[in-house]
Amino acid sequence: MSSESETAVSNGAASNGTDEPRESLSVVDNRTGRAYELPITDGTIKSLDLRKIKVSEDDFGLMGYDPAFTNTASTRSSVTFIDGDVGILEYRGYPIEQLAERSTYLEVAYLLIHGELPTKPQLDQWTHDITIHTFVHENLKSFLQGFRYDAHPMGMLLSSVGALSTFYPEANQIRDAENINIQTIRLIAKMPTLAAFSYRHIRGMPYVYPDNDLSYAGNFLSMIYKVAELKYQPDPRLERALDILFILHADHEQNCSTSAVRAVGSSQVDPYSAIAAGVAALYGPLHGGANEAVLRMLRRIEKVENVPDFIEGVKKGEEKLMGFGHRVYKNFDPRATIIKKACDDVFEVTGVNPLLAIAKELEKTALEDEYFISRKLYPNVDFYSGLIYEALGLPVEMFPVMFAIPRTSGWIAQWRELLGDTEQKIARPRQIYTGERSLDYISLSQR
Ligand code: SDX
């Protein structure tokens, strides 16, 4: 920080010779009386600029303190835009509502990763490449068979994605564009296969190999549901509803699991290990595990008449209304609105899920209650999605897995963006140390 900029500010003359206000913060350190000018760019100040604010030459300088990064931008990104106040979600600038209505998951995955909608030849090639990479090494079957019969499929997915890194040791060549592209294709292609194999394992059923005649969503349904029939034919309404769910879950800017992928990826590890970190973060009930928690909550409420008592318990802080609230959306989550509509399409085929009435009563009651209104708590993506997964016959343990499959394309898009970002380096936050200092070792007999 040059002395003239300090001097300039110290006279309150934070000017640049024009009437235009400077894009900067003028701050005074009351410990020293010294004034500083911190440049503002893109609505942020660089945390590193705070380090110049010291009380003495050997002072480390100031840091920002932001547990859970509630007000910290960790990166520049052009993948996904969210305006939480007005419920806007756009992938590469395209509104989620238009993509859900007119696109397909594979086309959206291409958009997220390559930054533009594919031409017909590009989409055909992309679809072909992914379709022919849906198989996994046979050893992964025996790896999965090592899990207990009642293993949580998210734990199986987390492990098997990480295990893939051992089958493609060249994946750690992260500066090789061709290598990045083939690993991108493998990850998107193989996630449904690993997910379906995990499901068949906990069901005690033989694994179903991918059917390359089917669409991405149709093939997943086949690997889940095919039994003795020679060829599984997915119901097109279920296939489309699942494809829409995949589109809605594909990316969501710097959420917990994407931040995990970026942090792990910043060490320059292979993409399978970075994505495994994303699966691990998504597993948590406050994140992707919320859709499983919502269904368990609805089952526990059991009937509509119990909703008022349950809501009172939430307001007393006894538990959270799972599927409600969001760090960014302080209005409706546009994905929840679309999923609620998709419920109708699915229930046309499967019959209405009786828990829907409880979910709707919960939503109605909460949206009229000051506790939720004052905290800006609205249904999020997880509130209704579980009703569809249950109607599709999936067990609640599979719900977070259904989130991880499509989010893989978003995680990869963000990871690839990280690799190309010259501002990034290995993630290594600081801390405020609160422990003891310089203690002398005490021998065991003296303790
Ligand atoms: C996802 O980040 C993303 O983009 C995530 C995601 C994605 O696509 O990647 O959108 C997917 O993870 C959606 C969220 C799924 N999680 C849940 O539905 C779990 C229930 N929701 C909460 O745990 C919570 O709302 C979070 C975790 C989603 C957000 O938490 P924040 O932003 O840290 O908010 P907070 O915990 O500070 O809550 C603020 C207040 C608190 O009350 P007070 O302490 O001020 O009195 O709101 C209350 C909280 O207790 N609150 C809730 C609540 N969520 C927040 N009270 C009851 N029920 C809830 N669900």
PDB file of all heavy atoms in Angstrom, residues 6-38:
ATOM      1  N   GLU A   6      -2.175   6.199   1.408  1.00  0.00           N
ATOM      2  CA  GLU A   6      -2.542   6.357   2.827  1.00  0.00           C
ATOM      3  C   GLU A   6      -2.747   7.846   3.110  1.00  0.00           C
ATOM      4  O   GLU A   6      -3.737   8.273   3.681  1.00  0.00           O
ATOM      5  CB  GLU A   6      -1.427   5.801   3.715  1.00  0.00           C
ATOM      6  CG  GLU A   6      -1.343   4.277   3.728  1.00  0.00           C
ATOM      7  CD  GLU A   6      -0.082   3.817   4.453  1.00  0.00           C
ATOM      8  OE1 GLU A   6       0.416   4.559   5.322  1.00  0.00           O
ATOM      9  OE2 GLU A   6       0.384   2.731   4.129  1.00  0.00           O
ATOM     10  N   THR A   7      -1.742   8.675   2.648  1.00  0.00           N
ATOM     11  CA  THR A   7      -1.831  10.122   2.940  1.00  0.00           C
ATOM     12  C   THR A   7      -3.133  10.663   2.352  1.00  0.00           C
ATOM     13  O   THR A   7      -3.888  11.361   3.013  1.00  0.00           O
ATOM     14  CB  THR A   7      -0.621  10.837   2.280  1.00  0.00           C
ATOM     15  OG1 THR A   7       0.533  10.108   2.617  1.00  0.00           O
ATOM     16  CG2 THR A   7      -0.543  12.262   2.794  1.00  0.00           C
ATOM     17  N   ALA A   8      -3.361  10.283   1.085  1.00  0.00           N
ATOM     18  CA  ALA A   8      -4.549  10.817   0.384  1.00  0.00           C
ATOM     19  C   ALA A   8      -5.780  10.568   1.238  1.00  0.00           C
ATOM     20  O   ALA A   8      -6.564  11.463   1.522  1.00  0.00           O
ATOM     21  CB  ALA A   8      -4.698  10.115  -0.957  1.00  0.00           C
ATOM     22  N   VAL A   9      -5.874   9.327   1.733  1.00  0.00           N
ATOM     23  CA  VAL A   9      -7.076   8.996   2.491  1.00  0.00           C
ATOM     24  C   VAL A   9      -7.068   9.710   3.833  1.00  0.00           C
ATOM     25  O   VAL A   9      -8.089  10.165   4.322  1.00  0.00           O
ATOM     26  CB  VAL A   9      -7.137   7.459   2.694  1.00  0.00           C
ATOM     27  CG1 VAL A   9      -8.169   7.106   3.747  1.00  0.00           C
ATOM     28  CG2 VAL A   9      -7.462   6.797   1.371  1.00  0.00           C
ATOM     29  N   SER A  10      -5.849   9.851   4.421  1.00  0.00           N
ATOM     30  CA  SER A  10      -5.819  10.424   5.795  1.00  0.00           C
ATOM     31  C   SER A  10      -6.428  11.829   5.784  1.00  0.00           C
ATOM     32  O   SER A  10      -7.002  12.274   6.752  1.00  0.00           O
ATOM     33  CB  SER A  10      -4.373  10.496   6.288  1.00  0.00           C
ATOM     34  OG  SER A  10      -3.661  11.372   5.418  1.00  0.00           O
ATOM     35  N   ASN A  11      -6.371  12.560   4.613  1.00  0.00           N
ATOM     36  CA  ASN A  11      -7.025  13.888   4.608  1.00  0.00           C
ATOM     37  C   ASN A  11      -8.485  13.741   4.197  1.00  0.00           C
ATOM     38  O   ASN A  11      -9.137  14.704   3.844  1.00  0.00           O
ATOM     39  CB  ASN A  11      -6.308  14.814   3.583  1.00  0.00           C
ATOM     40  CG  ASN A  11      -4.828  14.883   3.908  1.00  0.00           C
ATOM     41  OD1 ASN A  11      -4.476  14.748   5.076  1.00  0.00           O
ATOM     42  ND2 ASN A  11      -3.972  14.985   2.910  1.00  0.00           N
ATOM     43  N   GLY A  12      -8.954  12.451   4.151  1.00  0.00           N
ATOM     44  CA  GLY A  12     -10.350  12.265   3.721  1.00  0.00           C
ATOM     45  C   GLY A  12     -10.467  12.628   2.257  1.00  0.00           C
ATOM     46  O   GLY A  12     -11.524  12.762   1.706  1.00  0.00           O
ATOM     47  N   ALA A  13      -9.306  12.780   1.606  1.00  0.00           N
ATOM     48  CA  ALA A  13      -9.395  13.213   0.199  1.00  0.00           C
ATOM     49  C   ALA A  13      -9.327  11.978  -0.686  1.00  0.00           C
ATOM     50  O   ALA A  13      -8.443  11.818  -1.500  1.00  0.00           O
ATOM     51  CB  ALA A  13      -8.206  14.132  -0.102  1.00  0.00           C
ATOM     52  N   ALA A  14     -10.253  11.038  -0.449  1.00  0.00           N
ATOM     53  CA  ALA A  14     -10.195   9.820  -1.252  1.00  0.00           C
ATOM     54  C   ALA A  14     -10.707  10.152  -2.634  1.00  0.00           C
ATOM     55  O   ALA A  14     -11.810   9.810  -3.026  1.00  0.00           O
ATOM     56  CB  ALA A  14     -11.077   8.745  -0.620  1.00  0.00           C
ATOM     57  N   SER A  15      -9.929  10.913  -3.370  1.00  0.00           N
ATOM     58  CA  SER A  15     -10.470  11.303  -4.683  1.00  0.00           C
ATOM     59  C   SER A  15      -9.471  10.881  -5.755  1.00  0.00           C
ATOM     60  O   SER A  15      -8.318  10.580  -5.480  1.00  0.00           O
ATOM     61  CB  SER A  15     -10.625  12.833  -4.714  1.00  0.00           C
ATOM     62  OG  SER A  15      -9.323  13.370  -4.719  1.00  0.00           O
ATOM     63  N   ASN A  16      -9.928  10.852  -6.976  1.00  0.00           N
ATOM     64  CA  ASN A  16      -9.020  10.537  -8.096  1.00  0.00           C
ATOM     65  C   ASN A  16      -9.029  11.709  -9.084  1.00  0.00           C
ATOM     66  O   ASN A  16      -8.962  11.533 -10.276  1.00  0.00           O
ATOM     67  CB  ASN A  16      -9.495   9.235  -8.766  1.00  0.00           C
ATOM     68  CG  ASN A  16     -10.986   9.334  -9.070  1.00  0.00           C
ATOM     69  OD1 ASN A  16     -11.582  10.411  -8.913  1.00  0.00           O
ATOM     70  ND2 ASN A  16     -11.588   8.247  -9.474  1.00  0.00           N
ATOM     71  N   GLY A  17      -9.244  12.912  -8.510  1.00  0.00           N
ATOM     72  CA  GLY A  17      -9.153  14.096  -9.394  1.00  0.00           C
ATOM     73  C   GLY A  17     -10.416  14.288 -10.210  1.00  0.00           C
ATOM     74  O   GLY A  17     -10.504  15.180 -11.039  1.00  0.00           O
ATOM     75  N   THR A  18     -11.423  13.407 -10.030  1.00  0.00           N
ATOM     76  CA  THR A  18     -12.690  13.644 -10.743  1.00  0.00           C
ATOM     77  C   THR A  18     -13.800  13.645  -9.689  1.00  0.00           C
ATOM     78  O   THR A  18     -13.546  13.415  -8.510  1.00  0.00           O
ATOM     79  CB  THR A  18     -12.981  12.467 -11.701  1.00  0.00           C
ATOM     80  OG1 THR A  18     -13.297  11.315 -10.858  1.00  0.00           O
ATOM     81  CG2 THR A  18     -11.755  12.110 -12.539  1.00  0.00           C
ATOM     82  N   ASP A  19     -15.029  13.869 -10.117  1.00  0.00           N
ATOM     83  CA  ASP A  19     -16.135  13.836  -9.156  1.00  0.00           C
ATOM     84  C   ASP A  19     -16.574  12.406  -8.875  1.00  0.00           C
ATOM     85  O   ASP A  19     -17.392  12.151  -8.012  1.00  0.00           O
ATOM     86  CB  ASP A  19     -17.322  14.650  -9.720  1.00  0.00           C
ATOM     87  CG  ASP A  19     -16.921  16.133  -9.830  1.00  0.00           C
ATOM     88  OD1 ASP A  19     -15.956  16.484  -9.090  1.00  0.00           O
ATOM     89  OD2 ASP A  19     -17.481  16.860 -10.643  1.00  0.00           O
ATOM     90  N   GLU A  20     -16.023  11.484  -9.697  1.00  0.00           N
ATOM     91  CA  GLU A  20     -16.413  10.074  -9.517  1.00  0.00           C
ATOM     92  C   GLU A  20     -15.862   9.534  -8.202  1.00  0.00           C
ATOM     93  O   GLU A  20     -14.706   9.763  -7.887  1.00  0.00           O
ATOM     94  CB  GLU A  20     -15.823   9.222 -10.676  1.00  0.00           C
ATOM     95  CG  GLU A  20     -16.521   9.457 -12.007  1.00  0.00           C
ATOM     96  CD  GLU A  20     -18.003   9.118 -11.920  1.00  0.00           C
ATOM     97  OE1 GLU A  20     -18.337   7.980 -11.539  1.00  0.00           O
ATOM     98  OE2 GLU A  20     -18.817  10.032 -12.159  1.00  0.00           O
ATOM     99  N   PRO A  21     -16.704   8.842  -7.371  1.00  0.00           N
ATOM    100  CA  PRO A  21     -16.156   8.231  -6.139  1.00  0.00           C
ATOM    101  C   PRO A  21     -15.152   7.142  -6.524  1.00  0.00           C
ATOM    102  O   PRO A  21     -15.300   6.489  -7.552  1.00  0.00           O
ATOM    103  CB  PRO A  21     -17.393   7.623  -5.475  1.00  0.00           C
ATOM    104  CG  PRO A  21     -18.417   7.476  -6.550  1.00  0.00           C
ATOM    105  CD  PRO A  21     -18.129   8.534  -7.566  1.00  0.00           C
ATOM    106  N   ARG A  22     -14.094   7.017  -5.737  1.00  0.00           N
ATOM    107  CA  ARG A  22     -13.101   5.975  -6.008  1.00  0.00           C
ATOM    108  C   ARG A  22     -13.721   4.617  -5.708  1.00  0.00           C
ATOM    109  O   ARG A  22     -14.519   4.488  -4.774  1.00  0.00           O
ATOM    110  CB  ARG A  22     -11.876   6.168  -5.115  1.00  0.00           C
ATOM    111  CG  ARG A  22     -11.124   7.452  -5.363  1.00  0.00           C
ATOM    112  CD  ARG A  22      -9.966   7.544  -4.350  1.00  0.00           C
ATOM    113  NE  ARG A  22      -8.854   6.699  -4.771  1.00  0.00           N
ATOM    114  CZ  ARG A  22      -7.841   7.157  -5.535  1.00  0.00           C
ATOM    115  NH1 ARG A  22      -7.862   8.404  -5.917  1.00  0.00           N
ATOM    116  NH2 ARG A  22      -6.867   6.380  -5.871  1.00  0.00           N
ATOM    117  N   GLU A  23     -13.344   3.616  -6.495  1.00  0.00           N
ATOM    118  CA  GLU A  23     -13.758   2.233  -6.218  1.00  0.00           C
ATOM    119  C   GLU A  23     -12.820   1.707  -5.130  1.00  0.00           C
ATOM    120  O   GLU A  23     -11.892   0.945  -5.389  1.00  0.00           O
ATOM    121  CB  GLU A  23     -13.622   1.398  -7.501  1.00  0.00           C
ATOM    122  CG  GLU A  23     -14.752   1.619  -8.512  1.00  0.00           C
ATOM    123  CD  GLU A  23     -16.111   1.173  -7.976  1.00  0.00           C
ATOM    124  OE1 GLU A  23     -16.265  -0.016  -7.646  1.00  0.00           O
ATOM    125  OE2 GLU A  23     -16.991   2.044  -7.834  1.00  0.00           O
ATOM    126  N   SER A  24     -13.042   2.174  -3.894  1.00  0.00           N
ATOM    127  CA  SER A  24     -12.138   1.722  -2.817  1.00  0.00           C
ATOM    128  C   SER A  24     -12.804   1.945  -1.470  1.00  0.00           C
ATOM    129  O   SER A  24     -13.782   2.675  -1.361  1.00  0.00           O
ATOM    130  CB  SER A  24     -10.832   2.523  -2.876  1.00  0.00           C
ATOM    131  OG  SER A  24     -11.118   3.888  -2.583  1.00  0.00           O
ATOM    132  N   LEU A  25     -12.241   1.282  -0.462  1.00  0.00           N
ATOM    133  CA  LEU A  25     -12.649   1.505   0.929  1.00  0.00           C
ATOM    134  C   LEU A  25     -11.574   2.375   1.574  1.00  0.00           C
ATOM    135  O   LEU A  25     -10.388   2.100   1.429  1.00  0.00           O
ATOM    136  CB  LEU A  25     -12.687   0.169   1.689  1.00  0.00           C
ATOM    137  CG  LEU A  25     -13.889  -0.741   1.606  1.00  0.00           C
ATOM    138  CD1 LEU A  25     -13.710  -1.878   2.625  1.00  0.00           C
ATOM    139  CD2 LEU A  25     -15.174   0.020   1.860  1.00  0.00           C
ATOM    140  N   SER A  26     -11.982   3.376   2.298  1.00  0.00           N
ATOM    141  CA  SER A  26     -10.986   4.136   3.082  1.00  0.00           C
ATOM    142  C   SER A  26     -11.184   3.712   4.519  1.00  0.00           C
ATOM    143  O   SER A  26     -12.268   3.918   5.077  1.00  0.00           O
ATOM    144  CB  SER A  26     -11.236   5.637   2.927  1.00  0.00           C
ATOM    145  OG  SER A  26     -11.171   5.978   1.563  1.00  0.00           O
ATOM    146  N   VAL A  27     -10.162   3.086   5.103  1.00  0.00           N
ATOM    147  CA  VAL A  27     -10.314   2.623   6.483  1.00  0.00           C
ATOM    148  C   VAL A  27      -9.237   3.233   7.368  1.00  0.00           C
ATOM    149  O   VAL A  27      -8.130   3.503   6.910  1.00  0.00           O
ATOM    150  CB  VAL A  27     -10.213   1.075   6.564  1.00  0.00           C
ATOM    151  CG1 VAL A  27     -11.398   0.439   5.901  1.00  0.00           C
ATOM    152  CG2 VAL A  27      -8.928   0.570   5.929  1.00  0.00           C
ATOM    153  N   VAL A  28      -9.599   3.466   8.623  1.00  0.00           N
ATOM    154  CA  VAL A  28      -8.618   3.977   9.581  1.00  0.00           C
ATOM    155  C   VAL A  28      -8.414   2.913  10.648  1.00  0.00           C
ATOM    156  O   VAL A  28      -9.397   2.390  11.195  1.00  0.00           O
ATOM    157  CB  VAL A  28      -9.119   5.280  10.251  1.00  0.00           C
ATOM    158  CG1 VAL A  28      -8.164   5.706  11.374  1.00  0.00           C
ATOM    159  CG2 VAL A  28      -9.262   6.379   9.214  1.00  0.00           C
ATOM    160  N   ASP A  29      -7.156   2.546  10.889  1.00  0.00           N
ATOM    161  CA  ASP A  29      -6.848   1.608  11.958  1.00  0.00           C
ATOM    162  C   ASP A  29      -6.750   2.413  13.240  1.00  0.00           C
ATOM    163  O   ASP A  29      -5.780   3.151  13.465  1.00  0.00           O
ATOM    164  CB  ASP A  29      -5.517   0.894  11.657  1.00  0.00           C
ATOM    165  CG  ASP A  29      -5.190  -0.143  12.733  1.00  0.00           C
ATOM    166  OD1 ASP A  29      -5.884  -0.133  13.785  1.00  0.00           O
ATOM    167  OD2 ASP A  29      -4.275  -0.948  12.524  1.00  0.00           O
ATOM    168  N   ASN A  30      -7.733   2.296  14.103  1.00  0.00           N
ATOM    169  CA  ASN A  30      -7.766   3.121  15.323  1.00  0.00           C
ATOM    170  C   ASN A  30      -6.657   2.760  16.292  1.00  0.00           C
ATOM    171  O   ASN A  30      -6.389   3.519  17.220  1.00  0.00           O
ATOM    172  CB  ASN A  30      -9.134   2.992  16.002  1.00  0.00           C
ATOM    173  CG  ASN A  30     -10.230   3.591  15.143  1.00  0.00           C
ATOM    174  OD1 ASN A  30     -10.012   4.640  14.515  1.00  0.00           O
ATOM    175  ND2 ASN A  30     -11.360   2.913  15.050  1.00  0.00           N
ATOM    176  N   ARG A  31      -5.992   1.633  16.050  1.00  0.00           N
ATOM    177  CA  ARG A  31      -4.884   1.266  16.948  1.00  0.00           C
ATOM    178  C   ARG A  31      -3.674   2.146  16.664  1.00  0.00           C
ATOM    179  O   ARG A  31      -2.846   2.390  17.527  1.00  0.00           O
ATOM    180  CB  ARG A  31      -4.520  -0.216  16.744  1.00  0.00           C
ATOM    181  CG  ARG A  31      -5.673  -1.198  16.992  1.00  0.00           C
ATOM    182  CD  ARG A  31      -5.304  -2.601  16.557  1.00  0.00           C
ATOM    183  NE  ARG A  31      -5.037  -2.638  15.108  1.00  0.00           N
ATOM    184  CZ  ARG A  31      -4.630  -3.723  14.457  1.00  0.00           C
ATOM    185  NH1 ARG A  31      -4.403  -4.845  15.127  1.00  0.00           N
ATOM    186  NH2 ARG A  31      -4.416  -3.703  13.159  1.00  0.00           N
ATOM    187  N   THR A  32      -3.574   2.579  15.375  1.00  0.00           N
ATOM    188  CA  THR A  32      -2.385   3.375  15.008  1.00  0.00           C
ATOM    189  C   THR A  32      -2.754   4.747  14.452  1.00  0.00           C
ATOM    190  O   THR A  32      -1.884   5.585  14.255  1.00  0.00           O
ATOM    191  CB  THR A  32      -1.619   2.630  13.889  1.00  0.00           C
ATOM    192  OG1 THR A  32      -2.518   2.541  12.761  1.00  0.00           O
ATOM    193  CG2 THR A  32      -1.187   1.230  14.316  1.00  0.00           C
ATOM    194  N   GLY A  33      -4.035   4.939  14.131  1.00  0.00           N
ATOM    195  CA  GLY A  33      -4.456   6.204  13.505  1.00  0.00           C
ATOM    196  C   GLY A  33      -4.114   6.261  12.036  1.00  0.00           C
ATOM    197  O   GLY A  33      -4.400   7.221  11.335  1.00  0.00           O
ATOM    198  N   ARG A  34      -3.482   5.152  11.545  1.00  0.00           N
ATOM    199  CA  ARG A  34      -3.083   5.166  10.130  1.00  0.00           C
ATOM    200  C   ARG A  34      -4.302   4.883   9.237  1.00  0.00           C
ATOM    201  O   ARG A  34      -5.185   4.099   9.627  1.00  0.00           O
ATOM    202  CB  ARG A  34      -2.008   4.091   9.896  1.00  0.00           C
ATOM    203  CG  ARG A  34      -0.890   4.557   8.975  1.00  0.00           C
ATOM    204  CD  ARG A  34       0.209   3.531   8.855  1.00  0.00           C
ATOM    205  NE  ARG A  34       1.093   3.504  10.043  1.00  0.00           N
ATOM    206  CZ  ARG A  34       1.762   2.402  10.393  1.00  0.00           C
ATOM    207  NH1 ARG A  34       1.582   1.289   9.735  1.00  0.00           N
ATOM    208  NH2 ARG A  34       2.560   2.440  11.426  1.00  0.00           N
ATOM    209  N   ALA A  35      -4.354   5.519   8.081  1.00  0.00           N
ATOM    210  CA  ALA A  35      -5.481   5.323   7.146  1.00  0.00           C
ATOM    211  C   ALA A  35      -4.999   4.500   5.960  1.00  0.00           C
ATOM    212  O   ALA A  35      -3.836   4.582   5.567  1.00  0.00           O
ATOM    213  CB  ALA A  35      -5.976   6.687   6.678  1.00  0.00           C
ATOM    214  N   TYR A  36      -5.922   3.727   5.418  1.00  0.00           N
ATOM    215  CA  TYR A  36      -5.581   2.854   4.281  1.00  0.00           C
ATOM    216  C   TYR A  36      -6.680   2.959   3.239  1.00  0.00           C
ATOM    217  O   TYR A  36      -7.848   3.220   3.565  1.00  0.00           O
ATOM    218  CB  TYR A  36      -5.475   1.391   4.729  1.00  0.00           C
ATOM    219  CG  TYR A  36      -4.429   1.145   5.779  1.00  0.00           C
ATOM    220  CD1 TYR A  36      -4.722   1.349   7.130  1.00  0.00           C
ATOM    221  CD2 TYR A  36      -3.138   0.740   5.433  1.00  0.00           C
ATOM    222  CE1 TYR A  36      -3.753   1.146   8.105  1.00  0.00           C
ATOM    223  CE2 TYR A  36      -2.177   0.531   6.398  1.00  0.00           C
ATOM    224  CZ  TYR A  36      -2.487   0.735   7.739  1.00  0.00           C
ATOM    225  OH  TYR A  36      -1.535   0.530   8.710  1.00  0.00           O
ATOM    226  N   GLU A  37      -6.301   2.737   1.983  1.00  0.00           N
ATOM    227  CA  GLU A  37      -7.312   2.685   0.925  1.00  0.00           C
ATOM    228  C   GLU A  37      -7.284   1.281   0.332  1.00  0.00           C
ATOM    229  O   GLU A  37      -6.244   0.827  -0.144  1.00  0.00           O
ATOM    230  CB  GLU A  37      -7.003   3.715  -0.159  1.00  0.00           C
ATOM    231  CG  GLU A  37      -8.159   3.906  -1.118  1.00  0.00           C
ATOM    232  CD  GLU A  37      -7.954   5.151  -1.996  1.00  0.00           C
ATOM    233  OE1 GLU A  37      -7.144   6.004  -1.619  1.00  0.00           O
ATOM    234  OE2 GLU A  37      -8.590   5.198  -3.053  1.00  0.00           O
ATOM    235  N   LEU A  38      -8.402   0.582   0.435  1.00  0.00           N
ATOM    236  CA  LEU A  38      -8.456  -0.800  -0.087  1.00  0.00           C
ATOM    237  C   LEU A  38      -9.256  -0.783  -1.376  1.00  0.00           C
ATOM    238  O   LEU A  38     -10.451  -0.466  -1.367  1.00  0.00           O
ATOM    239  CB  LEU A  38      -9.124  -1.708   0.946  1.00  0.00           C
ATOM    240  CG  LEU A  38      -8.505  -1.708   2.369  1.00  0.00           C
ATOM    241  CD1 LEU A  38      -9.291  -2.660   3.271  1.00  0.00           C
ATOM    242  CD2 LEU A  38      -7.032  -2.083   2.324  1.00  0.00           C
TER     243      LEU A  38
END
